Amino acid sequence: MNEAGKKVAFYTLGCKLNFSETATISRSFKNEGFDRVDFSESADIYVINTCSVTENADKRFKTIVKQAQKVNPDAFVAAVGCYAQLKPEELADVDGVDLVLGATEKFKITDYLNDLSKNDMGEVHSCEIEDADFYVGSYSIGDRTRAFLKVQDGCDYKCTYCTIPLARGISRSDTLENVLNNAREISAKGIREIVLTGVNIGDYGKGEFGNKKHEHTFLDLVKALDQVEGIERLRISSIEPNLLKNETIVVVANSRAFVPHFHIPLQSGNNEMLGKMRRRYQRELYVDRVAQIKKLMPDACIGVDVIVGFPGETDEHFLDTYNFLNALDISYLHVFTYSERDNTLAAEMDGVVPLKVRKKRSKMLRGLSAKKRRAFYESQIGTQRTVLFEGENKKGYIHGFTENYVKVKAPWDPALVNTTHSIELKEIDDDGMVRFEYCTETTEVLA
């Protein structure tokens, strides 16, 4: 199929993994002669990569379809991704949607586009999730400073609140050779930071088609990537506490390229709740991992995922979580308000927490997160760091992140985009970002 001159636009909901997969899908369109345009522009095809992790992502889908139709009412609209796998008929019913592709079909989207005429009803191609057992590698190079590199997909865990195994299938990984080749390709394009992403990346090494033998482990992957020349920074996106082994922490601490930043899902600081969620650890293990990181990397940034309002969570359970997190040496929280998902065990559980209470608890933890981030930033004032500048002009400022994820700002200068500099962190601004001074040797280089 050659659709030379046709235009395609993409909208991605959800996680870093979705962004890496959108980038791969967009490359398949490019190979077919399509030109990629911004989602706000007129296109012949709009592709929406969906997410099902929160209720909000479901609702946003309809709004995004309307946005596309407003720009071009005759455009062909395709939905792919997690929500498309879980609720294909529901998406097909949305006014304006022409094609819905599930977990295995999304990477073959161009094969389904023989006819771009609008359909009265969305056409659905979704597999039984058991068929999603093969691996498709992805990486995104949309912005010039960092790339999301997918190394693993799917999940074998059975957390009671989660639909990801239903949306993405079993845990499976890319080969080590492929990941290293992708990393080399990315660094050859002048991108300075690679973020490793997947559904459960600590489970890296499981093969395709249900082969559960680990050819390589996550530790092998980390060691091998650290040897790839040309990559300035490597960042681990999110890793389960029980799969973040002490050996991996040691390797990161002594690494050339891996940065001292970990994002480790906790979900609850109460062991009874962790049991109901079917998490594979107790909070004592989490304490141990944080202590190990801080012992070897005192300036490391540690982010935490936590869910509030899970069925059966009493005020006592919540306060247990709050006090646990308050005492922990962490840097910020990602707070999720529990929402019922179809076909999960948690949706059938007793002890439903009223929405008002869920929101109140969420607000309390978001307040704690702001306090934690501020304390972490304050601990970094006066230290020397390396900053990688981003590509956007935001209200006259350029932003960047240090290796340990402190967000800094400087007056906008396009020459700084995608460059790294040695800096000293000076003070926290009113907006919570950090101002800095260049270290003397860097200033000489710039002059």
Side-chain angles (χ1 to χ4, degrees):
M1 175 187 114
N2 188 347
E3 292 287 348
K6 293 274 187 193
K7 292 177 180 173
V8 61
F10 296 88
Y11 198 106
T12 306
L13 289 157
C15 61
K16 294 181 176 81
L17 179 57
N18 269 7
F19 278 91
S20 77
E21 291 184 342
T22 297
T24 296
I25 294 165
S26 87
R27 284 194 284 277
S28 70
F29 274 93
K30 195 177 175 188
N31 295 340
E32 297 288 352
F34 280 84
D35 294 322
R36 181 173 180 175
V37 296
D38 192 77
F39 200 82
S40 60
E41 295 175 46
S42 181
D44 299 285
I45 302 177
Y46 291 94
V47 180
I48 303 166
N49 193 354
T50 63
C51 165
S52 68
V53 171
T54 64
E55 203 68 56
N56 196 24
D58 295 2
K59 287 172 186 158
R60 280 184 65 198
F61 176 75
K62 288 178 183 169
T63 313
I64 294 153
V65 173
K66 277 182 187 153
Q67 276 174 23
Q69 287 187 298
K70 214 173 187 176
V71 183
N72 181 4
D74 300 322
F76 190 89
V77 177
V80 301
C82 291
Y83 192 26
Q85 175 63 36
L86 289 174
K87 302 275 181 81
E89 308 297 339
E90 211 170 279
L91 289 193
D93 279 345
V94 173
D95 191 35
V97 174
D98 300 292
L99 179 67
V100 179
L101 298 181
T104 61
E105 290 79 18
K106 62 188 171 191
F107 293 108
K108 301 178 284 192
I109 183 170
T110 54
D111 296 351
Y112 292 96
L113 301 177
N114 299 323
D115 175 15
L116 293 185
S117 54
K118 297 291 286 174
N119 296 325
D120 292 338
M121 172 75 188
E123 189 183 314
V124 173
H125 297 274
S126 73
C127 62
E128 291 301 316
I129 198 58
E130 287 74 23
D131 298 336
D133 57 2
F134 58 90
Y135 187 84
V136 178
S138 301
Y139 63 83
S140 76
I141 46 172
D143 96 32
R144 285 193 294 163
T145 51
R146 67 168 62 86
F148 300 128
L149 172 57
K150 174 182 166 185
V151 299
Q152 182 273 345
D153 200 351
C155 189
D156 292 338
Y157 286 9
K158 298 285 186 285
C159 300
T160 52
Y161 52 82
C162 186
T163 56
I164 295 289
L166 300 173
R168 283 188 169 269
I170 59 171
S171 178
R172 57 217 187 264
S173 317
D174 208 346
T175 64
L176 188 59
E177 191 185 352
N178 270 357
V179 174
L180 297 177
N181 284 338
N182 284 341
R184 289 186 193 102
E185 266 181 48
I186 292 166
S187 63
K189 294 175 193 295
I191 290 163
R192 293 171 180 261
E193 180 173 308
I194 294 177
V195 182
L196 301 186
T197 182
V199 174
N200 188 359
I201 63 174
D203 204 27
Y204 174 82
K206 281 183 180 171
E208 296 184 293
F209 314 115
N211 170 15
K212 295 305 173 199
K213 179 175 171 285
H214 279 71
E215 281 295 309
H216 295 98
T217 63
F218 185 67
L219 180 63
D220 296 335
L221 176 72
V222 168
K223 285 178 174 173
L225 278 168
D226 201 37
Q227 303 303 313
V228 176
E229 284 181 31
I231 302 172
E232 209 163 312
R233 280 185 180 181
L234 286 155
R235 201 179 290 275
I236 299 167
S237 65
S238 178
I239 183 165
E240 293 285 302
N242 51 306
L243 295 174
L244 177 58
K245 305 296 183 195
N246 283 340
E247 297 89 333
T248 307
I249 296 169
V250 170
V251 170
V252 170
N254 297 298
S255 153
R256 175 194 67 81
F258 276 91
V259 295
H261 175 208
F262 294 85
H263 193 91
I264 314 167
L266 169 68
Q267 310 310 13
S268 176
N270 174 273
N271 281 342
E272 189 188 332
M273 285 292 108
L274 288 173
K276 286 189 79 171
M277 291 175 172
R278 286 200 187 160
R279 302 292 287 161
R280 296 193 175 195
Y281 52 86
Q282 298 260 276
R283 73 186 204 171
E284 288 74 15
L285 177 122
Y286 202 93
V287 172
D288 178 69
R289 292 297 180 271
V290 170
Q292 179 73 1
I293 291 166
K294 286 294 187 175
K295 186 173 91 178
L296 297 177
M297 295 166 269
D299 293 320
C301 178
I302 302 174
V304 183
D305 285 344
V306 62
I307 296 169
V308 295
F310 188 80
E313 185 186 61
T314 62
D315 286 346
E316 288 72 27
H317 291 136
F318 171 71
L319 283 172
D320 200 22
T321 292
Y322 186 95
N323 293 330
F324 177 74
L325 288 165
N326 194 25
L328 212 54
D329 193 0
I330 54 166
S331 317
Y332 64 89
L333 305 171
H334 278 174
V335 185
F336 296 89
T337 305
Y338 172 76
S339 62
E340 286 77 4
R341 317 306 289 156
D342 289 347
N343 303 314
T344 59
L345 285 172
E348 310 299 318
M349 287 180 181
D350 296 332
V352 173
V353 178
L355 280 174
K356 204 166 130 186
V357 176
R358 294 184 213 183
K359 284 178 178 165
K360 184 184 168 194
R361 289 175 186 173
S362 176
K363 193 176 176 186
M364 282 177 72
L365 281 185
R366 286 200 307 273
L368 178 62
S369 178
K371 188 180 109 175
K372 286 284 184 184
R373 193 184 296 271
R374 177 95 192 180
F376 175 63
Y377 280 14
E378 280 172 356
S379 76
Q380 296 304 297
I381 299 299
T383 63
Q384 287 193 8
R385 296 281 162 234
T386 305
V387 63
L388 169 58
F389 285 110
E390 310 269 311
E392 265 185 281
N393 181 345
K394 292 187 177 171
K395 297 179 181 171
Y397 286 94
I398 188 168
H399 298 157
F401 285 95
T402 63
E403 63 275 38
N404 62 341
Y405 217 55
V406 173
K407 193 173 188 180
V408 305
K409 65 188 280 194
W412 171 255
D413 177 356
L416 291 175
V417 172
N418 196 32
T419 60
T420 50
H421 299 272
S422 181
I423 60 169
E424 185 179 329
L425 301 177
K426 284 294 185 186
E427 60 177 339
I428 302 173
D429 213 344
D430 295 342
D431 57 10
M433 278 177 264
V434 179
R435 288 185 178 268
F436 62 87
E437 284 177 7
Y438 292 107
C439 294
T440 37
E441 66 274 19
T442 314
T443 314
E444 285 161 20
V445 172
L446 288 174

